[in-house]
Amino acid sequence: TLVPVIDRRYPSALGDIFDPPPILFARGRVDLLQADSVAIVGTRRPTAYGTAVAERLAADLANAGLAIVSGLARGIDTSAHNGSVSVGGDTIAILGCGVDVVYPSENKQLANRIANEGLLLSEFPMGTPGYPQNFPVRNRVIAGLSRIVPRPAMRTK
């Protein structure tokens, strides 16, 4: 699915980042672009403790109704996505390649699950490999999607 900047589904929060992508390529639940969300990212070589904390934090935040945004990289990103999907939560994977390319390849099963239950998202066209220079560019989208939209306060009697 293509989501151009003029589409009502395009997340308004991306207008606040440097050089917002003019088009987003999506595979999965595009409605998640409007979800309250939080980013969880980290090292590609975490300790066992770091992995456990990332999974637990993601699961707890997903249970609280937040979509987990991360980059599908090895390490903490993978743990964050796994924590969310383990509790049936929403997760958005922002890719540094095309949405039809899985990088790293060991995350193929996780990527397929996210495409079916969550959202794979990229500003890079289909078929784009995971070039090293794409990942710092991708990170601004992860940061831009990590937001909680203020809601009007509920009245109490």
Side-chain angles (χ1 to χ4, degrees):
T1 304
L2 293 177
V3 184
V5 71
I6 59 171
D7 192 309
R8 63 177 174 69
R9 300 171 299 174
Y10 191 93
S12 60
L14 290 185
D16 295 334
I17 66 171
F18 174 76
D19 193 24
I23 296 175
L24 296 171
F25 298 85
R27 230 175 102 200
R29 293 181 43 215
V30 177
D31 64 294
L32 291 179
L33 291 174
Q34 307 308 317
D36 286 340
S37 56
V38 63
I40 299 176
V41 296
T43 183
R44 287 177 171 82
R45 289 180 293 244
T47 63
Y49 176 75
T51 297
V53 168
E55 284 190 25
R56 175 65 188 267
L57 180 61
D60 288 349
L61 291 169
N63 274 330
L66 295 172
I68 304 303
V69 180
S70 199
L72 199 68
R74 357 182 122 82
I76 295 299
D77 292 25
T78 297
S79 299
H81 291 303
N82 278 329
S84 180
V85 299
S86 73
V87 296
D90 295 326
T91 193
I92 304 170
I94 311 299
L95 307 178
C97 54
V99 293
D100 59 332
V101 177
V102 177
Y103 183 85
S105 59
E106 66 256 26
N107 280 346
K108 184 173 182 148
Q109 186 175 5
L110 178 59
N112 287 335
R113 184 165 183 192
I114 293 171
N116 288 326
E117 300 171 19
L119 180 63
L120 296 177
L121 194 68
S122 180
E123 67 183 285
F124 301 103
M126 302 281 278
T128 302
Y131 295 122
Q133 65 268 23
N134 293 357
F135 296 95
V137 172
R138 168 223 41 198
N139 291 344
R140 79 192 197 296
V141 176
I142 292 173
L145 284 183
S146 179
R147 89 270 184 235
I148 299 173
V149 179
R151 305 275 194 282
M154 292 182 62
R155 290 187 166 189
T156 57
K157 293 185 177 185

